[in-house]
């Protein structure tokens, strides 16, 4: 059983403005004309903090900007700030709050007639839904982000949302479509001289190599991605790529290298306040302990991972962690604990529409 991390931000890397890592996030358009004097400087300060991985500090600054703007600034200024606060909450694992903020921002932008701003919000919403394991909804949000970006000739918006749509394809098992999306992202990053987008494409494609049992190809791509992330000082992308590198090392039996990469990934995720990412990496550490037959340590580490994933609202990956925990307790002969955990894992997997984990949970239950 393997907890996959491959979301082009956990996990794989995502594309969003002022973001990077599991999702696509590139440069943000100049939105200062939409903001009142004083608020625009706070907005820019928040962007710098977000780009540096200081997500909680960015959220604080943008929240202060929202309070300073007040009602007098109108719907558009409020919507712009809510979008960024939502993204910061997403990075910090507050998925329910992030979704609420993005949906409010979408409503305000549409009501104000600023449809050119909608692609960014739909893309952000897609990342949040994808992180929560709600794949069909996430796919719809990314497709809407692509459509609105195309209507307004927003090339970067199309690139970001199309790259993130690859995350949904990958999780649904449509690996060929996911690979095309990630290669397009990598090529776009190179054409735009964006090391972050290029590295995201490489890192996400490496996750597909792991799924298809080609760890050597994954390591080669991840080495390049890590060099790019480190060159630009992008810690979030580095943490994600290290987690994926550990998975590749695990497949080749290089367990010491896997532990080393994962320890570094956990430290980075903790420093950045990425609870979901930290939880995923702890689950991977637990998986390596399982591979080595150290079932007690695996069970304890899975429990730590489960607590973090529960805090972040990531039900899909929590199902995977609980499934690993159930397997560990089954190996230890604690059939009652294994049974209750497998039942909970199956329930979570059903909610997140993850048939693979549902099947694995049923197999564990058959042995309890």
């Amino acid at each position: 059983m393997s907890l996959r991390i491959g979301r082009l931000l956990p996990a794989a890397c995502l594309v969003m403005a002022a973001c990077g890592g599991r999702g696509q996030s590139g440069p943000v358009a100049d939105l200062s004309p939409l903001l009142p004097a004083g608020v625009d400087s706070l907005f820019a300060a928040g962007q710098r903090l977000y780009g540096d991985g200081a997500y909680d500090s960015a959220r604080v600054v943008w929240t202060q900007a929202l309070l300073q703007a007040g009602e007098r600034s109108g719907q558009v200024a409020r919507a712009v700030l809510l979008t960024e606060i939502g993204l910061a909450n997403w990075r910090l694992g507050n998925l329910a709050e992030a979704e609420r903020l993005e949906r409010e921002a979408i409503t305000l932008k549409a009501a104000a007639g600023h449809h050119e701003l909608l692609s960014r919000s739909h893309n952000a919403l897609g990342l949040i839904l994808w992180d929560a394991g709600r794949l069909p909804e996430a796919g719809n949000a990314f497709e809407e982000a692509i459509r609105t970006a195309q209507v307004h000739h927003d090339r970067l918006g199309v690139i970001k949302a199309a790259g993130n749509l690859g995350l949904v394809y990958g999780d649904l098992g449509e690996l060929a479509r996911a690979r095309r999306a990630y290669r397009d992202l990598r090529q776009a990053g190179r054409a735009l001289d964006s090391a972050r987008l290029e590295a995201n494409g490489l890192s996400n494609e490496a996750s597909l190599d792991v799924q298809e049992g080609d760890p050597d190809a994954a390591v080669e791509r991840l080495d390049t991605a890590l060099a790019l992330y480190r060159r630009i000082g992008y810690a979030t992308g580095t943490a994600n790529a290290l987690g994926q590198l550990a998975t590749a090392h695990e497949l080749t039996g290089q367990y010491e290298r896997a532990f080393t990469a994962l320890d570094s990934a956990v430290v980075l995720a903790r420093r950045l306040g990425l609870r979901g990412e930290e939880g995923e990496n702890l689950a991977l550490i637990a998986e390596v302990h399982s591979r080595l037959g150290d079932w007690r340590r695996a069970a304890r580490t899975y429990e730590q991972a489960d607590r973090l994933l529960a805090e972040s609202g990531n039900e899909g990956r929590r199902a995977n962690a609980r499934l690993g925990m159930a397997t560990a307790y089954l190996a230890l002969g604690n059939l009652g604990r294994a049974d209750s955990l497998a039942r909970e894992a199956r329930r979570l997997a059903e909610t997140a529409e993850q048939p693979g984990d549902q099947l694995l949970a049923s197999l564990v239950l058959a042995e309890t």
Side-chain angles (χ1 to χ4, degrees):
M1 204 160 6
S2 174
L3 185 86
R4 206 171 10 84
I5 333 180
R7 304 179 302 196
L8 177 252
L9 214 174
C13 286
L14 318 174
V15 194
M16 242 346 283
C19 331
R22 285 190 249 354
Q24 303 311 326
S25 192
V28 186
D30 181 15
L31 300 176
S32 55
L34 301 174
L35 302 170
V39 173
D40 54 351
S41 59
L42 286 172
F43 178 78
Q47 285 184 307
R48 288 191 294 273
L49 288 165
Y50 190 99
D52 289 339
Y55 303 119
D56 192 43
S57 296
R59 178 177 59 174
V60 169
V61 170
W62 282 327
T63 301
Q64 179 59 38
L66 186 65
L67 292 172
Q68 185 170 318
E71 296 298 327
R72 62 184 174 81
S73 301
Q75 292 178 318
V76 179
R78 180 174 176 80
V80 166
L81 291 164
L82 288 175
T83 298
E84 307 312 308
I85 297 170
L87 281 168
N89 274 285
W90 161 63
R91 283 294 188 186
L92 293 167
N94 305 320
L95 300 186
E97 176 65 3
E99 180 181 356
R100 184 190 71 79
L101 291 167
E102 294 303 340
R103 291 194 184 280
E104 183 178 352
I106 288 170
T107 299
L108 291 173
K109 288 176 181 180
H114 276 271
H115 299 284
E116 76 282 2
L117 302 177
L118 285 171
S119 178
R120 178 169 171 76
S121 293
H122 284 298
N123 190 31
L125 180 61
L127 290 172
I128 295 159
L129 295 169
W130 171 78
D131 224 352
R134 292 155 60 185
L135 301 182
E137 293 176 80
N140 290 338
F142 290 137
E143 288 170 355
E144 183 62 17
I146 292 170
R147 188 191 69 78
T148 54
Q150 287 173 334
V151 167
H152 295 282
H153 310 289
D154 177 4
R155 181 189 174 205
L156 190 57
V158 172
I159 290 169
K160 292 173 186 176
N164 286 332
L165 189 55
L167 303 173
V168 176
Y169 293 148
D171 281 356
L172 291 175
E174 298 182 44
L175 302 190
R177 295 181 77 180
R179 194 176 291 275
R180 284 197 299 273
Y182 297 151
R183 287 185 175 177
D184 288 345
L185 177 62
R186 184 181 70 200
Q187 291 167 5
R190 192 171 299 163
L192 294 169
D193 195 25
S194 171
R196 184 178 296 190
L197 294 185
E198 183 179 353
N200 282 349
L202 285 163
S203 183
N204 283 350
E205 188 171 358
S207 73
L208 301 180
D209 294 328
V210 169
Q211 289 183 64
E212 294 181 333
D214 190 355
D216 292 335
V219 169
E220 186 176 341
R221 293 188 213 282
L222 289 165
D223 283 345
T224 305
L226 281 166
L228 290 168
Y229 285 139
R230 285 166 175 157
R231 190 185 84 200
I232 60 176
Y234 185 51
T236 302
T238 298
N240 178 260
L242 284 170
Q244 297 197 52
L245 185 62
T247 306
H249 286 321
E250 179 198 350
L251 284 179
T252 59
Q254 299 181 73
Y255 298 120
E256 286 303 317
R257 285 190 174 187
F259 279 128
T260 298
L262 285 168
D263 285 343
S264 297
V266 167
V267 169
L268 272 175
R270 192 171 292 154
R271 176 167 67 81
L272 294 168
L274 304 176
R275 290 174 298 173
E277 191 113 353
E278 182 183 352
E280 290 177 21
N281 286 319
L282 284 171
L284 281 169
I285 291 173
E287 182 187 339
V288 179
H289 286 309
S290 297
R291 298 269 187 184
L292 295 172
D294 191 347
W295 297 109
R296 291 191 186 283
R297 186 170 292 180
R300 288 197 301 270
T301 309
Y302 272 127
E303 286 172 356
Q304 294 173 28
D306 182 61
R307 284 195 294 272
L308 286 166
L309 292 169
E311 289 175 14
S312 71
N314 195 324
E315 298 294 87
R317 287 169 181 76
R318 192 178 178 210
N320 195 288
R322 289 223 147 195
L323 190 50
M325 209 187 314
T327 303
Y329 278 110
L330 182 64
L332 290 168
N334 189 337
L335 302 187
R337 180 69 171 142
D339 183 89
S340 64
L341 285 165
R343 291 183 187 281
E344 179 65 9
R346 186 167 63 181
R347 183 190 68 78
L348 291 169
E350 287 171 354
T351 300
E353 301 182 54
Q354 295 175 180
D357 281 345
Q358 291 175 49
L359 175 60
L360 289 172
S362 296
L363 291 175
V364 173
L365 287 168
E367 297 186 47
T368 60

